[in-house]
Amino acid sequence: SANSLGARFGKMLRRDLPTPELQPETQPDKPKTLTTTEDLFPAEKEKEVSVDLLDISEDSMENLANFVAEFEEFRAIPYDDYGQLSIGYGSKATGEDQVVTEEQARKLLEQGLERSRQSVLKAMEKYNYDFTENQILALTSFTYNLGSGEGTSDNKPKGLKQLLDVGRRDVEEISDSIELYNKAGGKVLPGLVKRRAAEYKLFNEGF
């Protein structure tokens, strides 16, 4: 109804947040060329969060990798990605001389998605959300693209932290806000409009 629609958007308008925009991470000071398998696929240093949450199947994560790859053109060499040096399927490059095959790029994508999923699970535990599998997958894709926002202040959050409004938004408000994050370099990009619309659908309906 018109009243319920107005109430729903009213909730969003009450949030006094900066205009959402893609926030690239800071680049390494000393780029290096990857020459070994160990360098290319380093072991995860950060201990995964220990939470008793919904277990995401390997098939679902593979579907998510395919989902994200549709929006990321494969690049064998590094390219400027709005302030971040990226490679492969939107992964963070280690330096200007790095070169990857499609198989290596896929591996980097899968590793990046797993890190993003862990960030979603941490936020889920921290802010006491009860997300479904589809919602976790959608937010994992969102976080892979925009970052987790971990380390940013509560007054000026970025990435996933901003989308959740530091835990103040409910699930409906989060869903309604996903498609607002369609800018990079201060401009609305058609690719991001399409990507956010797909994440909104995944969040609410699944693949």
Side-chain angles (χ1 to χ4, degrees):
S1 68
N3 289 336
S4 60
L5 183 62
R8 195 169 100 187
F9 283 99
K11 293 181 181 178
M12 296 172 58
L13 293 174
R14 288 196 297 271
R15 306 300 182 194
D16 186 18
L17 290 174
T19 301
E21 185 170 329
L22 187 64
Q23 298 291 343
E25 300 179 11
T26 304
Q27 296 302 308
D29 293 331
K30 297 181 180 180
K32 69 174 182 177
T33 302
L34 298 183
T35 57
T36 68
T37 301
E38 289 74 15
D39 283 335
L40 188 57
F41 307 123
E44 297 296 338
K45 294 182 179 180
E46 184 178 355
K47 184 178 180 181
E48 293 187 355
V49 63
S50 177
V51 289
D52 183 18
L53 294 171
L54 183 65
D55 184 27
I56 304 297
S57 70
E58 290 185 9
D59 287 344
S60 292
M61 289 303 292
E62 183 176 356
N63 288 337
L64 182 62
N66 293 334
F67 173 89
V68 172
E70 291 182 5
F71 299 102
E72 298 281 0
E73 178 184 356
F74 168 72
R75 307 283 187 89
I77 60 176
Y79 61 97
D80 180 68
D81 191 9
Y82 294 93
Q84 172 175 295
L85 193 65
S86 297
I87 197 168
Y89 295 105
S91 300
K92 187 176 179 180
T94 59
E96 295 180 355
D97 297 328
Q98 184 181 0
V99 179
V100 295
T101 64
E102 286 194 53
E103 182 179 359
Q104 291 169 335
R106 177 73 179 207
K107 181 67 174 180
L108 289 172
L109 169 61
E110 291 171 352
Q111 289 184 342
L113 286 173
E114 178 56 26
R115 286 192 296 270
S116 297
R117 185 179 76 92
Q118 289 298 319
S119 293
V120 173
L121 295 184
K122 287 179 182 179
M124 187 173 174
E125 182 181 40
K126 181 177 181 179
Y127 301 126
N128 196 31
Y129 284 113
D130 187 22
F131 294 132
T132 66
E133 176 174 317
N134 288 335
Q135 291 166 351
I136 292 172
L137 291 170
L139 295 176
T140 296
S141 172
F142 181 96
T143 302
Y144 179 80
N145 185 215
L146 278 83
S148 67
E150 294 177 15
T152 60
S153 71
D154 289 354
N155 292 329
K156 294 183 178 181
K158 297 179 181 180
L160 176 66
K161 189 174 181 179
Q162 185 186 90
L163 175 63
L164 304 180
D165 191 8
V166 200
R168 290 189 288 262
R169 280 183 173 148
D170 61 28
V171 172
E172 182 180 356
E173 290 174 317
I174 293 168
S175 173
D176 290 338
S177 300
I178 289 174
E179 293 182 276
L180 298 176
Y181 292 74
N182 56 14
K183 295 180 181 178
K187 298 179 180 179
V188 174
L189 300 185
L192 288 180
V193 171
K194 184 178 179 180
R195 185 170 188 162
R196 295 289 92 84
E199 288 169 349
Y200 173 86
K201 182 178 182 296
L202 175 55
F203 189 91
N204 291 286
E205 303 175 20
F207 291 113

